[in-house]
Amino acid sequence: MSSERLIYLPLGGAGEIGMNCYVYGYGAPNAERLIVVDLGVTFPDMDTTPGVDLIFADISWLEARRDRIEAIFITHAHEDHVGAIGHLWGRLRAPVHARAFTAHHARRKMEEQGQDPAKVETASAWPETVQAGPFTVGFLPVSHSIPESSALVIDTPAGRVIHTGDFKIDMAPGVGEPFDRDLWASVAQSGVKALVCDSTNVFSPHEGRSESTLGPEITRFVAEQTGMVVATTFASNVARVKTLAEAGQAAGRSVCLLGRAMRRMIEASVETGVLSDFPSTVTPEEARDIPRESLMLLVTGSQGERRAASAQLARGKYLGLSMDEGDTFLFSSKTIPGNERGVIAIMNQFSEQGVDVQDDDDGRYHVSGHANRPDLEAMHQLVKPQIVVPMHGEHRHLREHVKLAESLGRTGVLAPNGTCVALGGNAPEVVEFVETGRTYLDGRVQIGALDGVVRDRIRMALNGHAMVTLVMDEDDSPLGDPWVDLKGLPERTADGAALSEVLEADLAQLLARAGDKTLTDDDKLDEALRRRTRQVCDTEIGRKPEVTVVVSRLS
Amino acid sequence: MSSERLIYLPLGGAGEIGMNCYVYGYGAPNAERLIVVDLGVTFPDMDTTPGVDLIFADISWLEARRDRIEAIFITHAHEDHVGAIGHLWGRLRAPVHARAFTAHHARRKMEEQGQDPAKVETASAWPETVQAGPFTVGFLPVSHSIPESSALVIDTPAGRVIHTGDFKIDMAPGVGEPFDRDLWASVAQSGVKALVCDSTNVFSPHEGRSESTLGPEITRFVAEQTGMVVATTFASNVARVKTLAEAGQAAGRSVCLLGRAMRRMIEASVETGVLSDFPSTVTPEEARDIPRESLMLLVTGSQGERRAASAQLARGKYLGLSMDEGDTFLFSSKTIPGNERGVIAIMNQFSEQGVDVQDDDDGRYHVSGHANRPDLEAMHQLVKPQIVVPMHGEHRHLREHVKLAESLGRTGVLAPNGTCVALGGNAPEVVEFVETGRTYLDGRVQIGALDGVVRDRIRMALNGHAMVTLVMDEDDSPLGDPWVDLKGLPERTADGAALSEVLEADLAQLLARAGDKTLTDDDKLDEALRRRTRQVCDTEIGRKPEVTVVVSRLS
């Protein structure tokens, strides 16, 4: 048996849908040469990460082995695959490879974070390959909901791995390459050690539908409307944006793109050659002078994001444009779990404006970009890998995908984030569990998920914050009474008294009775004041706040 | 035309699904005698109401007219209809009427808040009625997802109003009265002025299914399982709990109820006579000794609530019971929009335990308790009201329901919270807009939604909190340097320096350069320190925190 090994290690994306970051290694144990696949983000929420701007996989493990990293490969330009490249590249500093459209986005992200965009090299599609140490890597076109998505064909001395990236099996994706079954079969023909495979839609029982099935429905829908039509979808779904724009054009409407991401994606698509025949558009300024029945807006914000064009239109005017009674808003998108409240909020705001809202209506106006269960089966059968490693899914998706693989006679391995699996032998072997986690981009600072910063924010949000200030004189006696400031706490107690006054009186009493042991010891004094503040609040308002005590000693 | 009028005024529930509170009045304008229908709660969330315990409709309008309130009627025992009775009754103090099962819950809620449970009177079903000033009110049985739900037949000198409460049309609801079409037709026969009607499922296009359709599916599912089966549903859905228990019994399993709400509901159902033949159950202590393949647990927490039995089992042990590889967890429930994250979290925790999770699978294991669109049409056709007033829905539901009513030839009126509608004339007339809002139960204190308390909590959660403390001597000079405490902010700047030290040095400089005008004026000094703290943080960490400045002056 060879002393070298092929390892797979997910640092993000296996145990969640988001912040994809996968590592492959080949070489002597603990001296493997490494490649990284994808550096994505996930998005914060108020429940668990208030105030956080973006979330990345914790790449400490990689950073500590930076000298062993040969290259970084990006499969496609979705934020959960490329979004962290600018923020994390400085900690890894390896060359980045991606196909043209993806590279275009990666370069912009590098520039925005002050990194050198020339570190991103444009790769050609399979059968061309990139050499990266012991790895030979090819970009194998695959259909998804963004142009130029690619699986990676990763050849190693221990065999061939196919990393699907995000994919669906779509023979007519509208923009970008159709799924090429023959090409995939030819890649698989020589034998595939492992298929590392998208798991997102493993619970969706029906065969996925093609992007091209939406055109007629959307065209009919837009043609039927009499007022202004405003449609939203994921800006990166260039095929959909094109379908929507063509539906507008077919109905004799001028088309206007609203929202930076929407314009940027279309521009990038034209610039990189993936899109050649997009209908002509008008600017927002021009749109203002066009009768509403002759206008169609394509806007960002399908997930109800507060700052996106959709939400701004829901609240009122955006760039001088606004919706009105008789207009129609179309969600050509599905709501990602967790975003329901935001989406429902803008639906109701539109309702208040008298605007009719059409959602995806169980698939008439939206199809998923991921392979459903039968499509996953088809992929397994097509590639015939020895091992199936489910990725890109929550734990329940990975587990179900393993079951699916095994029901088809393959060896599946459940490998959530941090599970280092050796793929080279006859069966996969878990060789190590690596500590993984999340890094928060907080303003301009990267902080660890366990640093306590966000925990304190959540506590202040749930409990409120009481600040107790006290000045002690040179003889360690209180100079005046303690002072209490409250933030996020009711002003009045259940009995109607002023809470800060009740607290101040009670803390003054506590100090009057306190001995020198307490008064001379900052920690004891802090603890006594904090504990009493929490007790009094519990009695008076039924809540124990966070407490900060500041004692200033004159000396 | 009469100088007296019949008015309808929703204070909660029309513009949201939750915190139902509707007012009817009859009499001379602004001297109407009033009745209240339902006093419900809605539940807080981290996005908009962190730390809040419960949310009620703001009843200030009613409280100011307390002497005109004849009675309070509760349609059924769901929390969004009866949950606020104990908290708000003291501000209204009118007699409460409800049928036995509902009254049972209302009395407990009164007691829990220190109110007299005897204020709740048990009403009989239609054709018996309760006289309340100019109103004669009957409880008309209707099918829903909790026993003894009732519509209200409200007779007034200006005509008959039917307030549906929550309802579905179910001829075999399992527990409680089937929908009695003949009875409803007889009530409608003499003519109905207005149908005030549940709108929850107006967007659901297919006829609703009966609770009784679930029995065979659930029974088959439970019979197929080989490990322990744990099932959750809404505790108040007594019919479902019974169906689940019977499925367990049929499969030869001992049944154990876990979670206070679950046991309480079944006990109340037996006690009030709505449930007579519930399978025998075992206690959690007994359950521990029963082989897992012979056990079925029915647990609270279908919405992923953190403290419920389901979430506790997902995290590990609950009352000595735990799940294991090969066990099955069944959601006989749907996830209410907004609760997806919590539900998905426990699904993944079960997956990590090797537990198979079955969700409602598009309706095999759950049916809704509300009338779908065709059922709403059937209700309109059955009652044939002059006016349809949609209630119990978000704005978009109410608007769609008005459209539906008008498509059937009725007069619909869109009346979100605060819209006072006169129903007596030939057409409904909006006579006033009343200011409405929300009251938060925060610990033991009721606070207004606009009091700023929750706003401050959200700001601290999003921005962090910096506290600046400064002691000024008798001559209005700083005594030492200002002191900065940080909470919910990164310790280190983007450049790696200690943020509090950077701030303290900068603020000390500011003070050194400040003139007497600033140093002698608390407001100016506060403002200068706050603004500078925000500027420095913006520069150093890319974030402007909340700032509290405390200046202590020695005098």
Side-chain angles (χ1 to χ4, degrees):
Chain A
M1 194 181 142
S2 161
S3 67
E4 310 211 300
R5 65 182 189 182
L6 168 63
I7 56 169
Y8 162 80
L9 169 62
L11 295 178
E16 70 235 313
I17 294 179
M19 62 173 217
N20 291 279
C21 179
Y22 307 91
V23 181
Y24 293 89
Y26 187 82
N30 302 313
E32 296 90 352
R33 302 302 297 175
L34 306 172
I35 59 171
V36 181
V37 176
D38 292 341
L39 275 175
V41 301
T42 196
F43 296 99
D45 60 61
M46 188 71 182
D47 290 81
T48 60
T49 45
V52 169
D53 292 281
L54 282 175
I55 302 171
F56 318 131
D58 179 353
I59 57 160
S60 307
W61 188 93
L62 272 178
E63 193 177 14
R65 291 155 182 83
R66 189 166 82 185
D67 56 331
R68 287 159 48 190
I69 305 174
E70 298 284 352
I72 300 165
F73 296 86
I74 309 291
T75 58
H76 64 286
H78 276 147
E79 290 295 323
D80 58 332
H81 294 261
V82 73
I85 189 80
H87 298 282
L88 299 182
W89 188 84
R91 296 170 57 192
L92 302 179
R93 314 191 73 81
V96 180
H97 301 275
R99 290 175 70 199
F101 177 80
T102 309
H104 178 99
H105 290 281
R107 283 191 195 105
R108 182 172 48 73
K109 287 173 183 296
M110 292 285 277
E111 267 176 338
E112 284 171 356
Q113 301 305 319
Q115 305 292 357
D116 178 8
K119 299 296 179 190
V120 180
E121 294 170 32
T122 300
S124 297
W126 181 265
E128 294 204 33
T129 58
V130 175
Q131 198 65 37
F135 298 97
T136 307
V137 181
F139 286 82
L140 182 63
V142 73
S143 41
H144 183 42
S145 48
I146 189 168
E148 278 193 0
S149 289
S150 301
L152 298 177
V153 182
I154 304 172
D155 282 325
T156 76
R160 175 167 283 186
V161 173
I162 297 184
H163 181 102
T164 65
D166 294 7
F167 80 98
K168 66 184 292 189
I169 294 180
D170 193 337
M171 308 307 178
V175 171
E177 301 111 329
F179 185 78
D180 187 338
R181 202 178 284 271
D182 294 340
L183 179 65
W184 276 71
S186 75
V187 170
Q189 197 168 23
S190 53
V192 174
K193 191 81 198 167
L195 178 71
V196 180
C197 190
D198 182 0
S199 308
T200 314
N201 282 0
V202 67
F203 288 111
S204 301
H206 305 297
E207 196 175 303
R209 290 177 305 129
S210 169
E211 182 70 31
S212 60
T213 60
L214 298 177
E217 290 287 358
I218 290 175
T219 304
R220 187 174 316 138
F221 179 80
V222 174
E224 281 167 2
Q225 306 310 313
T226 53
M228 181 161 72
V229 178
V230 181
T232 187
T233 188
F234 304 94
S236 57
N237 193 331
V238 175
R240 186 73 51 77
V241 176
K242 188 181 172 211
T243 299
L244 290 165
E246 287 172 346
Q249 192 181 39
R253 291 169 181 267
S254 299
V255 173
C256 176
L257 302 178
L258 279 189
R260 195 174 54 161
M262 191 67 85
R263 289 195 315 274
R264 218 180 223 176
M265 273 290 165
I266 297 305
E267 283 162 14
S269 303
V270 171
E271 211 169 297
T272 59
V274 300
L275 184 65
S276 53
D277 47 354
F278 194 80
S280 67
T281 60
V282 298
T283 65
E285 294 70 34
E286 292 166 340
R288 279 180 230 153
D289 297 326
I290 295 171
R292 46 203 325 110
E293 66 275 14
S294 303
L295 189 60
M296 176 158 177
L297 311 181
L298 302 183
V299 306
T300 52
S302 69
Q303 301 305 306
E305 302 94 325
R306 271 191 64 76
R307 292 175 193 167
S310 65
Q312 303 216 39
L313 283 171
R315 289 196 294 270
K317 264 190 164 46
Y318 182 61
L319 299 177
L321 295 161
S322 60
M323 299 193 70
D324 207 349
E325 179 111 33
D327 292 344
T328 305
F329 191 96
L330 171 65
F331 283 90
S332 181
S333 57
K334 74 153 213 169
T335 304
I336 294 171
N339 295 339
E340 287 78 4
R341 282 200 190 115
V343 171
I344 288 173
I346 72 170
M347 283 183 171
N348 281 310
Q349 287 170 320
F350 283 132
S351 179
E352 288 172 24
Q353 296 176 0
V355 170
D356 289 322
V357 174
Q358 176 65 58
D359 65 15
D360 87 332
D361 200 11
D362 279 337
R364 270 167 84 192
Y365 307 115
H366 178 69
V367 295
S368 171
H370 295 273
N372 289 354
R373 193 181 184 93
D375 310 308
L376 293 172
E377 290 178 8
M379 178 59 90
H380 296 193
Q381 313 278 28
L382 179 62
V383 173
K384 298 185 181 64
Q386 195 177 326
I387 303 165
V388 173
V389 189
M391 59 148 183
H392 204 279
E394 299 163 9
H395 194 282
R396 61 195 176 113
H397 300 111
L398 307 184
R399 182 166 175 268
E400 182 71 14
H401 197 171
V402 166
K403 286 197 204 172
L404 176 67
E406 299 196 329
S407 77
L408 298 170
R410 317 257 156 227
T411 302
V413 57
L414 181 61
N417 291 340
T419 312
C420 184
V421 186
L423 297 172
N426 282 325
E429 187 191 351
V430 174
V431 292
E432 195 184 350
F433 290 102
V434 168
E435 201 170 309
T436 56
R438 297 178 157 211
T439 298
Y440 298 155
L441 179 68
D442 198 67
R444 296 198 301 118
V445 185
Q446 290 185 20
I447 57 179
L450 303 178
D451 286 3
V453 173
V454 169
R455 178 202 61 204
D456 281 350
R457 285 190 205 149
I458 292 173
R459 287 183 180 168
M460 287 191 288
L462 293 175
N463 307 325
H465 192 189
M467 292 142 283
V468 179
T469 318
L470 177 64
V471 182
M472 302 287 283
D473 69 12
E474 292 86 344
D475 305 322
D476 292 320
S477 293
L479 199 59
D481 286 339
W483 180 264
V484 176
D485 283 88
L486 304 173
K487 210 171 176 70
L489 287 164
E491 262 181 43
R492 300 267 152 197
T493 69
D495 303 327
L499 177 58
S500 57
E501 288 172 21
V502 172
L503 279 163
E504 283 164 3
D506 199 286
L507 296 176
Q509 273 190 26
L510 175 145
L511 289 169
R513 287 195 294 257
D516 275 356
K517 262 199 176 169
T518 302
L519 294 176
T520 57
D521 183 326
D522 276 356
D523 289 345
K524 284 209 175 80
L525 190 54
D526 184 297
E527 179 56 25
L529 290 168
R530 174 193 319 274
R531 188 185 305 171
R532 186 58 150 269
T533 299
R534 287 168 63 85
Q535 280 169 355
V536 172
C537 285
D538 194 22
T539 305
E540 297 292 335
I541 60 169
R543 168 180 301 282
K544 290 183 179 170
E546 301 305 295
V547 180
T548 298
V549 176
V550 181
V551 177
S552 307
R553 288 186 188 270
L554 306 183
S555 55
Chain B
M1 194 181 144
S2 163
S3 68
E4 309 211 299
R5 66 185 190 181
L6 168 63
I7 57 170
Y8 162 79
L9 169 63
L11 295 177
E16 70 239 309
I17 294 178
M19 61 171 219
N20 292 279
C21 178
Y22 307 89
V23 181
Y24 293 88
Y26 186 83
N30 302 312
E32 295 91 353
R33 303 301 298 173
L34 307 173
I35 58 172
V36 181
V37 176
D38 291 341
L39 275 175
V41 301
T42 198
F43 295 99
D45 60 60
M46 188 70 182
D47 291 82
T48 60
T49 45
V52 168
D53 293 279
L54 283 175
I55 302 171
F56 318 131
D58 178 353
I59 56 161
S60 306
W61 188 93
L62 271 178
E63 192 176 14
R65 293 158 182 79
R66 188 166 85 187
D67 56 330
R68 285 159 49 190
I69 305 175
E70 298 283 352
I72 299 165
F73 295 86
I74 309 291
T75 57
H76 63 287
H78 276 148
E79 290 296 323
D80 58 333
H81 294 261
V82 73
I85 189 81
H87 298 282
L88 298 182
W89 188 84
R91 296 169 57 192
L92 303 180
R93 315 190 74 80
V96 180
H97 301 275
R99 289 175 71 199
F101 177 80
T102 309
H104 179 100
H105 291 281
R107 283 190 195 103
R108 183 173 48 71
K109 287 174 184 295
M110 291 284 277
E111 267 176 337
E112 283 170 359
Q113 300 306 319
Q115 305 292 356
D116 178 8
K119 298 298 179 190
V120 180
E121 294 171 33
T122 301
S124 298
W126 181 265
E128 293 205 32
T129 57
V130 175
Q131 198 63 38
F135 299 96
T136 307
V137 180
F139 286 82
L140 182 63
V142 73
S143 41
H144 183 41
S145 47
I146 189 169
E148 277 193 3
S149 289
S150 301
L152 298 178
V153 182
I154 304 172
D155 282 324
T156 74
R160 174 167 282 185
V161 173
I162 297 184
H163 181 103
T164 65
D166 293 5
F167 80 100
K168 66 184 292 191
I169 294 179
D170 192 339
M171 308 306 178
V175 170
E177 302 112 328
F179 186 79
D180 187 338
R181 202 178 284 271
D182 293 341
L183 179 63
W184 275 72
S186 74
V187 170
Q189 197 169 24
S190 53
V192 174
K193 190 84 197 167
L195 179 71
V196 180
C197 189
D198 183 357
S199 308
T200 314
N201 283 1
V202 67
F203 288 110
S204 301
H206 305 297
E207 197 175 302
R209 289 177 305 130
S210 169
E211 183 69 31
S212 61
T213 60
L214 297 176
E217 290 287 357
I218 289 175
T219 304
R220 186 176 315 139
F221 179 81
V222 174
E224 282 167 2
Q225 306 310 312
T226 53
M228 181 161 73
V229 178
V230 182
T232 187
T233 189
F234 305 94
S236 56
N237 193 332
V238 175
R240 186 73 50 77
V241 177
K242 187 180 175 213
T243 300
L244 290 164
E246 287 172 346
Q249 193 180 41
R253 291 169 181 267
S254 299
V255 173
C256 176
L257 302 179
L258 280 189
R260 194 173 56 161
M262 191 69 86
R263 290 195 315 276
R264 216 180 223 178
M265 273 290 165
I266 298 305
E267 284 162 16
S269 304
V270 171
E271 212 169 296
T272 58
V274 299
L275 184 66
S276 53
D277 46 354
F278 194 80
S280 67
T281 59
V282 299
T283 66
E285 294 71 32
E286 291 165 341
R288 279 179 228 155
D289 299 326
I290 296 171
R292 46 200 326 109
E293 65 276 13
S294 303
L295 189 59
M296 177 158 176
L297 310 181
L298 303 183
V299 306
T300 51
S302 69
Q303 301 304 306
E305 302 93 325
R306 272 192 64 75
R307 293 175 191 167
S310 65
Q312 303 216 40
L313 284 170
R315 289 196 293 271
K317 263 190 166 39
Y318 182 63
L319 298 177
L321 295 161
S322 60
M323 300 193 71
D324 207 348
E325 181 111 31
D327 293 344
T328 305
F329 191 96
L330 170 65
F331 283 90
S332 180
S333 56
K334 73 154 215 170
T335 304
I336 294 171
N339 295 339
E340 287 79 4
R341 282 201 190 113
V343 170
I344 288 173
I346 72 170
M347 283 182 170
N348 282 309
Q349 287 169 321
F350 284 131
S351 180
E352 288 172 24
Q353 296 177 0
V355 170
D356 289 321
V357 174
Q358 175 65 58
D359 65 15
D360 87 332
D361 201 11
D362 277 338
R364 269 166 83 191
Y365 307 115
H366 179 68
V367 295
S368 172
H370 295 272
N372 289 354
R373 192 180 184 92
D375 310 307
L376 292 173
E377 289 178 10
M379 179 57 93
H380 294 194
Q381 311 278 26
L382 179 62
V383 173
K384 299 186 181 63
Q386 194 177 326
I387 303 166
V388 173
V389 188
M391 58 144 184
H392 204 280
E394 300 163 9
H395 195 283
R396 61 194 175 115
H397 299 110
L398 306 184
R399 182 165 174 269
E400 184 70 13
H401 198 169
V402 166
K403 284 196 207 174
L404 176 67
E406 298 196 332
S407 76
L408 298 171
R410 316 260 156 221
T411 301
V413 56
L414 181 61
N417 291 341
T419 311
C420 184
V421 186
L423 297 172
N426 281 326
E429 186 190 352
V430 174
V431 291
E432 195 183 350
F433 290 102
V434 168
E435 201 169 310
T436 56
R438 296 177 157 213
T439 298
Y440 298 155
L441 179 68
D442 198 66
R444 297 198 300 117
V445 184
Q446 291 185 19
I447 57 179
L450 303 179
D451 285 4
V453 173
V454 169
R455 180 202 60 203
D456 280 350
R457 284 189 203 148
I458 292 173
R459 287 183 180 169
M460 287 191 289
L462 293 175
N463 307 325
H465 191 190
M467 291 143 284
V468 179
T469 317
L470 176 65
V471 182
M472 300 290 282
D473 69 12
E474 292 86 343
D475 304 323
D476 293 319
S477 293
L479 199 60
D481 285 339
W483 180 265
V484 176
D485 282 88
L486 304 173
K487 209 171 177 70
L489 288 163
E491 263 181 41
R492 301 267 151 199
T493 69
D495 303 326
L499 177 59
S500 57
E501 289 172 19
V502 172
L503 279 164
E504 282 163 5
D506 199 287
L507 295 176
Q509 273 190 25
L510 175 145
L511 288 169
R513 286 196 294 258
D516 276 355
K517 261 199 176 166
T518 301
L519 295 176
T520 57
D521 183 326
D522 277 356
D523 289 344
K524 284 210 175 79
L525 190 53
D526 184 297
E527 179 56 25
L529 290 168
R530 174 192 318 273
R531 189 187 304 172
R532 185 60 149 268
T533 300
R534 287 168 63 86
Q535 280 169 355
V536 172
C537 286
D538 194 22
T539 305
E540 297 293 334
I541 61 170
R543 171 180 297 284
K544 290 182 179 170
E546 301 303 296
V547 181
T548 298
V549 175
V550 180
V551 176
S552 305
R553 289 186 186 269
L554 307 182
S555 55

